[in-house]
Amino acid sequence: MAELDKFDYRLLELLQENSRMTGNELAGKVGLSSAACLRRVQRLRETGVIERDVAVVSPKVFGKRMTVIVLLTMERDRPDRYMLMREEFAKMPEVVQCHHVTGAHDFVLRIQVGDMEEYSAFVDRVFHEPYIKRYESLAVLGSLK
């Protein structure tokens, strides 16, 4: 991983908010020339500091108005299922984020669905397996960030 200085960190902060900022816009906020900012951004991409650029699309465009955070706990005697679950979650379009975590739960999932009926069908399809000990659903009322 590349060594980063204060200019690199500032560029990264700005690009996390808006990855489409121009060199001139970055220069005005960082205190370097436009060319220097663009060279640094290119280096950050080439060295893997910036892994990818994505578009944050409103889930409503796809009819997915409901977000549910799921805390999932696996049966402890089935460690072979962890990798398989990760692979399965990666294929599910409803699962927009999947984190394998430490603590009382094994996975934290962010699920996007159209409504509670669609979520209920997802639960019936995915969470009623003998290797899943329990799950807790948290319906998102609003997102701040």
Side-chain angles (χ1 to χ4, degrees):
M1 191 73 52
E3 278 197 41
L4 306 178
D5 62 19
K6 68 178 183 176
F7 296 111
D8 293 326
Y9 283 112
R10 181 67 179 133
L11 286 167
L12 291 169
E13 288 173 1
L14 293 167
L15 292 172
Q16 284 185 88
E17 291 298 318
N18 179 3
S19 67
R20 295 190 58 165
M21 290 182 78
T22 66
N24 286 336
E25 290 171 322
L26 291 169
K29 295 181 182 279
V30 174
L32 296 172
S33 71
S34 175
C37 286
L38 293 175
R39 277 193 305 272
R40 283 172 176 264
V41 170
Q42 184 61 34
R43 179 179 52 82
L44 293 168
R45 284 191 174 102
E46 290 171 355
T47 59
V49 173
I50 297 175
E51 294 179 355
R52 60 193 167 117
D53 293 294
V54 298
V56 179
V57 179
S58 171
K60 294 175 185 173
V61 170
F62 300 107
K64 306 299 183 185
R65 299 175 309 279
M66 184 175 178
T67 301
V68 181
I69 305 298
V70 177
L71 308 176
L72 181 69
T73 306
M74 306 284 289
E75 287 293 346
R76 298 288 178 217
D77 61 344
R78 297 296 306 265
D80 57 312
R81 292 299 309 175
Y82 287 83
M83 187 57 75
L84 292 172
M85 288 304 296
R86 290 165 67 160
E87 292 170 5
E88 288 179 35
F89 289 143
K91 296 175 190 172
M92 296 176 187
E94 300 91 345
V95 179
V96 294
Q97 287 184 345
C98 174
H99 304 280
H100 191 188
V101 298
T102 63
H105 305 288
D106 299 304
F107 290 97
V108 176
L109 308 172
R110 185 165 65 101
I111 310 294
Q112 285 297 156
V113 290
D115 54 28
M116 189 56 79
E117 184 177 333
E118 187 179 341
Y119 179 65
S120 180
F122 175 83
V123 166
D124 290 343
R125 189 177 82 244
V126 177
F127 297 147
H128 295 294
E129 298 290 344
Y131 47 82
I132 294 178
K133 184 175 184 178
R134 68 183 296 268
Y135 68 94
E136 184 176 344
S137 302
L138 307 167
V140 174
L141 299 176
S143 297
L144 306 175
K145 187 172 178 181

